[in-house]
Amino acid sequence: MNRSLALPAADIAAAVLALALAALCWYLGVQNTDFPATGEVPAYSATRYVGPWLFLAMLLVAGAGAAVIDGVARIVRAPRRS
């Protein structure tokens, strides 16, 4: 692989990994609990949002965006051989 393309490829790979981890963190950050009906009270589902997991997901998405921008900038500025 060309040396000028190695770092952008690593940036893009890091961005894909960060997005996959962000999806996992988002999944862990949203917890649903189902409560059955009891007497006069109807059944319902409660959603709990876990802040640290959602914050980590947000940081990973921001980091992935920065990695993509850096990778594209390195590709655009790559030295051209004539």
Side-chain angles (χ1 to χ4, degrees):
M1 178 182 271
N2 189 333
R3 185 180 175 108
S4 65
L5 293 179
L7 283 175
D11 281 336
I12 302 301
V16 169
L17 178 63
L19 288 176
L21 289 174
L24 175 65
C25 290
W26 188 267
Y27 174 76
L28 292 173
V30 178
Q31 298 176 350
N32 292 320
T33 304
D34 295 321
F35 294 97
T38 307
E40 298 278 327
V41 179
Y44 66 96
S45 178
T47 302
R48 177 174 175 252
Y49 297 100
V50 183
W53 284 114
L54 299 178
F55 182 72
L56 180 58
M58 182 268 312
L59 286 179
L60 286 168
V61 168
V68 167
I69 290 171
D70 184 50
V72 169
R74 287 178 189 266
I75 290 172
V76 170
R77 292 184 321 186
R80 309 254 193 273
R81 295 184 187 215
S82 318

Coordinates of all heavy atoms in Angstrom, one line a residue:
M1 N 0.8 -1.2 0.0 CA 0.0 0.0 0.0 C 0.9 1.2 0.0 O 1.9 1.3 0.7 CB -0.9 0.0 1.2 CG -1.8 1.2 1.3 SD -2.8 1.3 2.8 CE -4.3 0.4 2.2
N2 N 0.5 2.2 -0.7 CA 1.2 3.5 -0.8 C 1.2 4.1 0.6 O 0.2 4.1 1.3 CB 0.5 4.4 -1.8 CG 1.3 5.6 -2.1 OD1 2.0 6.1 -1.3 ND2 1.0 6.1 -3.3
R3 N 2.4 4.7 1.0 CA 2.5 5.3 2.3 C 1.6 6.4 2.5 O 1.1 6.7 3.6 CB 3.9 5.7 2.5 CG 4.2 6.2 3.9 CD 5.7 6.6 4.1 NE 5.8 7.2 5.4 CZ 6.5 6.6 6.4 NH1 7.0 5.4 6.2 NH2 6.6 7.3 7.5
S4 N 1.3 7.2 1.4 CA 0.4 8.4 1.5 C -1.0 8.0 1.7 O -1.9 8.8 2.1 CB 0.6 9.3 0.3 OG 0.1 8.6 -0.8
L5 N -1.4 6.7 1.5 CA -2.7 6.2 1.6 C -2.9 5.4 2.9 O -4.0 5.0 3.2 CB -3.2 5.4 0.4 CG -3.3 6.2 -0.9 CD1 -3.7 5.3 -2.0 CD2 -4.3 7.3 -0.7
A6 N -1.8 5.1 3.6 CA -1.9 4.2 4.8 C -2.6 4.9 5.9 O -3.5 4.4 6.6 CB -0.5 3.8 5.2
L7 N -2.2 6.2 6.2 CA -2.9 6.9 7.3 C -4.4 7.2 7.0 O -5.2 7.1 7.9 CB -2.1 8.2 7.6 CG -0.8 8.0 8.4 CD1 -0.1 9.3 8.5 CD2 -1.1 7.4 9.7
P8 N -4.7 7.7 5.8 CA -6.2 7.8 5.5 C -7.0 6.5 5.7 O -8.1 6.6 6.2 CB -6.2 8.4 4.1 CG -4.9 9.0 3.9 CD -3.9 8.2 4.7
A9 N -6.4 5.4 5.2 CA -7.1 4.1 5.4 C -7.2 3.8 6.9 O -8.3 3.3 7.3 CB -6.3 3.1 4.7
A10 N -6.2 4.1 7.7 CA -6.4 3.9 9.1 C -7.4 4.8 9.7 O -8.1 4.4 10.6 CB -5.0 4.1 9.8
D11 N -7.5 6.0 9.3 CA -8.5 6.9 9.8 C -9.9 6.4 9.5 O -10.8 6.5 10.3 CB -8.3 8.3 9.1 CG -7.2 9.1 9.8 OD1 -6.9 8.9 11.0 OD2 -6.7 10.1 9.1
I12 N -10.1 6.0 8.2 CA -11.4 5.5 7.9 C -11.8 4.2 8.6 O -12.9 4.0 9.1 CB -11.5 5.2 6.3 CG1 -11.2 6.5 5.6 CG2 -12.8 4.6 5.9 CD1 -12.1 7.7 5.9
A13 N -10.8 3.3 8.8 CA -11.0 2.1 9.6 C -11.3 2.4 11.1 O -12.2 1.8 11.7 CB -9.8 1.2 9.5
A14 N -10.7 3.4 11.6 CA -10.9 3.9 13.0 C -12.3 4.5 13.1 O -13.0 4.3 14.1 CB -9.9 4.9 13.5
A15 N -12.8 5.2 12.1 CA -14.1 5.8 12.1 C -15.2 4.7 12.0 O -16.2 4.8 12.7 CB -14.2 6.7 10.9
V16 N -15.0 3.7 11.2 CA -15.9 2.5 11.1 C -16.0 1.8 12.5 O -17.1 1.5 13.0 CB -15.6 1.6 10.0 CG1 -16.4 0.3 10.1 CG2 -15.7 2.3 8.7
L17 N -14.9 1.6 13.1 CA -14.8 0.9 14.4 C -15.5 1.8 15.5 O -16.3 1.3 16.3 CB -13.4 0.6 14.8 CG -13.2 0.0 16.2 CD1 -13.9 -1.4 16.2 CD2 -11.7 -0.1 16.5
A18 N -15.3 3.1 15.4 CA -15.9 4.0 16.4 C -17.4 4.0 16.2 O -18.2 4.1 17.2 CB -15.3 5.4 16.2
L19 N -17.9 4.0 15.0 CA -19.3 4.0 14.7 C -20.0 2.7 15.2 O -21.1 2.7 15.8 CB -19.6 4.2 13.3 CG -19.4 5.6 12.8 CD1 -19.7 5.7 11.3 CD2 -20.3 6.6 13.5
A20 N -19.3 1.6 15.1 CA -19.8 0.3 15.6 C -19.8 0.3 17.1 O -20.8 -0.2 17.7 CB -18.9 -0.9 15.1
L21 N -18.8 0.8 17.7 CA -18.8 0.9 19.2 C -19.9 1.9 19.7 O -20.5 1.7 20.7 CB -17.4 1.3 19.7 CG -16.4 0.3 19.6 CD1 -15.0 0.9 20.0 CD2 -16.7 -0.9 20.4
A22 N -20.1 3.0 18.9 CA -21.2 3.9 19.3 C -22.5 3.3 19.2 O -23.4 3.5 20.1 CB -21.1 5.2 18.3
A23 N -22.8 2.4 18.2 CA -24.0 1.7 18.2 C -24.2 0.8 19.4 O -25.3 0.7 19.9 CB -24.1 0.9 16.9
L24 N -23.1 0.1 19.8 CA -23.2 -0.7 20.9 C -23.5 0.1 22.2 O -24.3 -0.3 23.0 CB -21.9 -1.5 21.1 CG -21.8 -2.4 22.3 CD1 -22.8 -3.5 22.3 CD2 -20.4 -2.9 22.5
C25 N -22.8 1.2 22.3 CA -23.0 2.1 23.5 C -24.4 2.6 23.5 O -25.1 2.7 24.6 CB -22.0 3.2 23.5 SG -20.3 2.7 23.9
W26 N -25.0 3.0 22.4 CA -26.4 3.5 22.3 C -27.3 2.4 22.8 O -28.3 2.6 23.5 CB -26.7 4.0 20.9 CG -28.0 4.6 20.9 CD1 -29.2 4.1 20.6 CD2 -28.3 6.0 21.2 NE1 -30.2 5.0 20.7 CE2 -29.7 6.2 21.1 CE3 -27.5 7.1 21.6 CZ2 -30.2 7.4 21.3 CZ3 -28.1 8.3 21.8 CH2 -29.4 8.5 21.7
Y27 N -27.1 1.1 22.3 CA -27.9 0.0 22.7 C -27.9 -0.2 24.2 O -28.9 -0.5 24.8 CB -27.4 -1.3 21.9 CG -28.1 -2.5 22.4 CD1 -29.4 -2.8 21.9 CD2 -27.5 -3.4 23.2 CE1 -30.1 -3.9 22.3 CE2 -28.2 -4.6 23.6 CZ -29.5 -4.8 23.2 OH -30.1 -5.9 23.6
L28 N -26.7 -0.1 24.8 CA -26.6 -0.3 26.2 C -27.1 0.9 27.0 O -27.5 0.8 28.2 CB -25.1 -0.5 26.6 CG -24.5 -1.8 26.1 CD1 -23.0 -1.7 26.4 CD2 -25.1 -2.9 26.8
G29 N -27.2 2.1 26.4 CA -27.7 3.3 27.0 C -29.2 3.4 27.1 O -29.7 4.3 27.8
V30 N -30.0 2.6 26.4 CA -31.4 2.7 26.4 C -31.9 1.3 26.9 O -31.7 0.3 26.3 CB -32.0 2.9 25.0 CG1 -33.5 2.9 25.0 CG2 -31.4 4.2 24.4
Q31 N -32.5 1.4 28.1 CA -33.0 0.2 28.8 C -34.5 0.2 28.9 O -35.1 1.2 29.4 CB -32.4 0.0 30.1 CG -30.9 -0.1 30.1 CD -30.3 -0.1 31.5 OE1 -31.0 0.1 32.5 NE2 -29.0 -0.5 31.5
N32 N -35.2 -0.8 28.3 CA -36.7 -0.9 28.4 C -37.1 -1.9 29.5 O -36.5 -3.0 29.6 CB -37.2 -1.3 27.1 CG -37.1 -0.2 26.0 OD1 -37.2 1.0 26.3 ND2 -36.7 -0.6 24.8
T33 N -38.1 -1.5 30.3 CA -38.6 -2.4 31.3 C -40.1 -2.5 31.1 O -40.8 -1.5 31.0 CB -38.3 -1.9 32.7 OG1 -36.9 -1.6 32.8 CG2 -38.7 -2.8 33.8
D34 N -40.6 -3.8 31.0 CA -42.0 -4.0 30.8 C -42.6 -4.4 32.2 O -42.1 -5.2 32.9 CB -42.2 -5.1 29.8 CG -41.8 -4.8 28.4 OD1 -42.0 -3.6 28.0 OD2 -41.2 -5.6 27.7
F35 N -43.7 -3.7 32.5 CA -44.4 -4.0 33.8 C -45.7 -4.6 33.4 O -46.5 -4.1 32.6 CB -44.6 -2.7 34.5 CG -43.3 -2.1 35.1 CD1 -42.7 -1.1 34.4 CD2 -42.8 -2.5 36.2 CE1 -41.5 -0.5 34.8 CE2 -41.6 -2.0 36.7 CZ -41.0 -1.0 36.0
P36 N -46.0 -5.7 34.0 CA -47.3 -6.4 33.7 C -48.5 -5.7 34.4 O -48.3 -4.9 35.3 CB -47.1 -7.8 34.3 CG -46.1 -7.6 35.4 CD -45.2 -6.5 34.9
A37 N -49.7 -6.0 33.9 CA -50.9 -5.4 34.5 C -51.1 -6.0 35.9 O -50.9 -7.2 36.1 CB -52.1 -5.7 33.6
T38 N -51.5 -5.1 36.8 CA -51.7 -5.6 38.2 C -53.1 -4.9 38.6 O -53.1 -3.7 38.8 CB -50.6 -5.1 39.1 OG1 -49.4 -5.5 38.6 CG2 -50.8 -5.7 40.5
G39 N -54.1 -5.8 38.8 CA -55.4 -5.2 39.2 C -55.9 -4.2 38.3 O -56.1 -4.4 37.1
E40 N -56.1 -3.0 38.8 CA -56.6 -1.9 38.0 C -55.6 -1.2 37.2 O -55.9 -0.4 36.3 CB -57.3 -0.9 38.9 CG -58.4 -1.4 39.7 CD -59.7 -1.4 38.9 OE1 -59.9 -0.5 38.1 OE2 -60.5 -2.3 39.1
V41 N -54.3 -1.4 37.5 CA -53.2 -0.7 36.8 C -52.9 -1.4 35.5 O -52.6 -2.6 35.5 CB -52.0 -0.7 37.7 CG1 -50.8 0.0 37.0 CG2 -52.3 0.0 39.0
P42 N -52.9 -0.7 34.3 CA -52.6 -1.4 33.0 C -51.1 -1.7 32.9 O -50.3 -1.1 33.6 CB -53.1 -0.4 32.0 CG -53.0 1.0 32.7 CD -53.3 0.7 34.2
A43 N -50.8 -2.6 32.0 CA -49.4 -2.9 31.7 C -48.8 -1.7 30.9 O -49.5 -1.0 30.2 CB -49.3 -4.1 30.8
Y44 N -47.5 -1.5 31.2 CA -46.8 -0.4 30.5 C -45.4 -0.7 30.4 O -44.8 -1.6 31.0 CB -47.1 1.0 31.1 CG -46.4 1.1 32.5 CD1 -45.2 1.7 32.7 CD2 -47.1 0.7 33.6 CE1 -44.7 1.9 33.9 CE2 -46.6 0.8 34.9 CZ -45.3 1.4 35.0 OH -44.8 1.6 36.3
S45 N -44.7 0.0 29.5 CA -43.3 -0.2 29.3 C -42.6 1.1 29.6 O -43.0 2.2 29.1 CB -43.0 -0.6 27.8 OG -41.6 -0.7 27.6
A46 N -41.5 1.0 30.4 CA -40.8 2.2 30.8 C -39.4 2.2 30.1 O -38.8 1.1 30.0 CB -40.6 2.3 32.3
T47 N -39.0 3.4 29.6 CA -37.7 3.5 29.0 C -36.8 4.3 29.9 O -37.1 5.4 30.3 CB -37.8 4.1 27.6 OG1 -38.7 3.4 26.8 CG2 -36.5 4.2 26.9
R48 N -35.6 3.8 30.2 CA -34.6 4.5 31.0 C -33.4 4.7 30.2 O -32.9 3.9 29.5 CB -34.2 3.6 32.2 CG -33.2 4.2 33.1 CD -32.9 3.3 34.3 NE -31.9 3.8 35.1 CZ -30.7 3.3 35.2 NH1 -30.4 2.1 34.6 NH2 -29.7 3.9 35.9
Y49 N -33.0 6.0 30.2 CA -31.8 6.4 29.5 C -30.6 6.5 30.4 O -30.7 7.2 31.4 CB -32.0 7.7 28.8 CG -33.1 7.6 27.7 CD1 -34.4 8.1 28.0 CD2 -32.9 7.1 26.5 CE1 -35.4 8.0 27.1 CE2 -33.9 7.0 25.6 CZ -35.2 7.5 25.9 OH -36.2 7.4 25.0
V50 N -29.5 5.8 30.1 CA -28.3 5.8 30.9 C -27.3 6.8 30.4 O -26.8 6.5 29.3 CB -27.7 4.3 31.0 CG1 -26.6 4.3 32.0 CG2 -28.8 3.4 31.5
G51 N -27.2 7.9 31.0 CA -26.4 9.0 30.5 C -25.0 8.7 30.1 O -24.5 9.1 29.1
P52 N -24.2 8.0 30.9 CA -22.8 7.7 30.6 C -22.6 7.0 29.3 O -21.7 7.2 28.5 CB -22.2 6.9 31.7 CG -23.0 7.4 32.9 CD -24.4 7.6 32.3
W53 N -23.5 6.0 29.0 CA -23.4 5.2 27.8 C -23.8 6.1 26.6 O -23.1 6.0 25.5 CB -24.3 4.0 27.8 CG -23.8 2.9 28.6 CD1 -24.4 2.4 29.8 CD2 -22.6 2.1 28.4 NE1 -23.6 1.4 30.3 CE2 -22.5 1.2 29.4 CE3 -21.7 2.1 27.4 CZ2 -21.5 0.2 29.5 CZ3 -20.6 1.2 27.5 CH2 -20.6 0.3 28.5
L54 N -24.8 6.9 26.7 CA -25.2 7.8 25.6 C -24.1 8.9 25.4 O -23.9 9.3 24.2 CB -26.6 8.5 25.9 CG -27.7 7.5 26.1 CD1 -29.0 8.2 26.4 CD2 -27.9 6.6 24.8
F55 N -23.5 9.4 26.4 CA -22.4 10.4 26.3 C -21.2 9.7 25.6 O -20.7 10.4 24.7 CB -22.0 10.9 27.7 CG -20.9 11.9 27.6 CD1 -21.3 13.2 27.1 CD2 -19.6 11.7 28.0 CE1 -20.3 14.2 27.0 CE2 -18.7 12.6 27.9 CZ -19.0 13.9 27.4
L56 N -20.9 8.5 25.9 CA -19.8 7.8 25.2 C -20.1 7.6 23.8 O -19.3 7.8 22.9 CB -19.5 6.5 25.9 CG -18.4 5.7 25.3 CD1 -17.1 6.5 25.3 CD2 -18.2 4.4 26.1
A57 N -21.4 7.2 23.5 CA -21.8 7.1 22.1 C -21.6 8.4 21.3 O -21.2 8.4 20.2 CB -23.2 6.6 22.0
M58 N -22.0 9.5 21.9 CA -21.9 10.8 21.3 C -20.4 11.1 21.0 O -20.1 11.6 20.0 CB -22.5 11.9 22.2 CG -22.5 13.3 21.6 SD -21.1 14.3 22.1 CE -21.0 14.1 23.8
L59 N -19.5 10.9 22.0 CA -18.1 11.1 21.8 C -17.5 10.2 20.7 O -16.7 10.7 19.9 CB -17.4 10.9 23.1 CG -17.5 11.9 24.2 CD1 -16.7 11.4 25.4 CD2 -17.0 13.2 23.7
L60 N -18.0 9.0 20.6 CA -17.5 8.1 19.5 C -17.9 8.6 18.2 O -17.2 8.5 17.2 CB -17.9 6.7 19.8 CG -17.2 6.0 20.9 CD1 -17.9 4.7 21.3 CD2 -15.8 5.7 20.6
V61 N -19.1 9.1 18.1 CA -19.6 9.6 16.8 C -18.8 10.8 16.4 O -18.4 11.0 15.2 CB -21.1 9.9 16.8 CG1 -21.6 10.7 15.6 CG2 -21.9 8.6 16.9
A62 N -18.6 11.7 17.4 CA -17.8 12.9 17.1 C -16.4 12.6 16.7 O -15.8 13.1 15.7 CB -17.8 13.8 18.3
G63 N -15.8 11.6 17.3 CA -14.5 11.1 17.0 C -14.4 10.5 15.6 O -13.5 10.7 14.8
A64 N -15.4 9.7 15.3 CA -15.5 9.1 13.9 C -15.6 10.2 12.9 O -15.0 10.1 11.8 CB -16.7 8.2 13.8
G65 N -16.4 11.2 13.1 CA -16.5 12.4 12.2 C -15.2 13.1 12.0 O -14.8 13.4 10.9
A66 N -14.4 13.3 13.1 CA -13.1 13.9 13.0 C -12.2 13.0 12.2 O -11.3 13.5 11.4 CB -12.6 14.2 14.4
A67 N -12.2 11.7 12.4 CA -11.3 10.8 11.7 C -11.6 10.8 10.2 O -10.7 10.8 9.4 CB -11.5 9.4 12.3
V68 N -12.9 10.9 9.8 CA -13.3 10.9 8.4 C -12.8 12.2 7.8 O -12.2 12.2 6.7 CB -14.8 10.7 8.2 CG1 -15.2 11.1 6.8 CG2 -15.2 9.3 8.6
I69 N -13.0 13.3 8.5 CA -12.5 14.6 8.0 C -11.0 14.6 7.8 O -10.5 15.0 6.8 CB -13.0 15.7 8.9 CG1 -14.5 15.9 8.8 CG2 -12.2 17.0 8.5 CD1 -15.0 16.9 9.8
D70 N -10.3 14.0 8.8 CA -8.8 13.9 8.7 C -8.4 13.0 7.5 O -7.5 13.4 6.8 CB -8.3 13.4 10.0 CG -6.7 13.4 10.0 OD1 -6.1 14.4 9.6 OD2 -6.2 12.4 10.3
G71 N -9.1 11.9 7.4 CA -8.7 11.0 6.3 C -9.0 11.6 4.9 O -8.1 11.5 4.0
V72 N -10.1 12.3 4.8 CA -10.4 12.9 3.5 C -9.3 14.1 3.2 O -8.9 14.2 2.1 CB -11.8 13.5 3.4 CG1 -12.1 14.4 2.2 CG2 -12.8 12.3 3.4
A73 N -9.0 14.8 4.2 CA -8.0 15.9 4.1 C -6.7 15.3 3.7 O -6.0 15.9 2.8 CB -7.9 16.7 5.3
R74 N -6.3 14.2 4.2 CA -5.0 13.6 3.9 C -5.0 13.1 2.4 O -4.0 13.2 1.7 CB -4.6 12.5 4.8 CG -4.2 13.0 6.2 CD -3.9 11.8 7.1 NE -3.7 12.2 8.5 CZ -2.5 12.5 9.0 NH1 -1.4 12.4 8.3 NH2 -2.4 12.8 10.3
I75 N -6.1 12.6 2.0 CA -6.2 12.1 0.6 C -6.2 13.2 -0.4 O -5.5 13.2 -1.4 CB -7.5 11.3 0.4 CG1 -7.4 9.9 1.2 CG2 -7.8 11.0 -1.1 CD1 -8.7 9.1 1.2
V76 N -6.9 14.3 -0.1 CA -6.9 15.5 -1.0 C -5.5 16.1 -1.0 O -5.1 16.6 -2.1 CB -8.0 16.5 -0.5 CG1 -7.8 17.8 -1.2 CG2 -9.3 15.9 -0.7
R77 N -4.8 16.2 0.1 CA -3.5 16.8 0.1 C -2.4 15.9 -0.2 O -1.2 16.3 -0.2 CB -3.2 17.4 1.5 CG -4.1 18.5 1.9 CD -3.7 19.0 3.2 NE -3.3 17.9 4.1 CZ -3.0 18.0 5.4 NH1 -3.0 19.2 6.0 NH2 -2.7 16.9 6.1
A78 N -2.7 14.6 -0.6 CA -1.6 13.7 -0.8 C -0.8 14.1 -2.0 O -1.3 14.7 -3.0 CB -2.2 12.3 -1.2
P79 N 0.6 13.9 -1.9 CA 1.4 14.3 -3.0 C 1.1 13.5 -4.3 O 0.9 12.3 -4.2 CB 2.8 14.1 -2.5 CG 2.7 13.1 -1.4 CD 1.3 13.3 -0.8
R80 N 1.1 14.2 -5.4 CA 0.8 13.5 -6.6 C 2.1 13.2 -7.4 O 3.0 14.1 -7.4 CB -0.1 14.4 -7.5 CG -1.3 15.0 -6.8 CD -2.5 14.2 -7.3 NE -3.8 14.9 -6.9 CZ -4.4 14.6 -5.8 NH1 -3.8 13.8 -4.9 NH2 -5.5 15.2 -5.5
R81 N 2.2 12.1 -7.9 CA 3.4 11.7 -8.7 C 3.1 11.9 -10.2 O 2.1 11.4 -10.6 CB 3.8 10.3 -8.4 CG 4.3 10.1 -7.0 CD 4.8 8.8 -6.7 NE 5.0 8.6 -5.3 CZ 6.0 7.9 -4.8 NH1 6.8 7.2 -5.6 NH2 6.2 7.8 -3.5
S82 N 4.0 12.5 -10.9 CA 3.7 12.8 -12.3 C 4.4 11.7 -13.1 O 5.4 11.2 -12.9 CB 4.3 14.1 -12.8 OG 4.1 15.1 -11.9

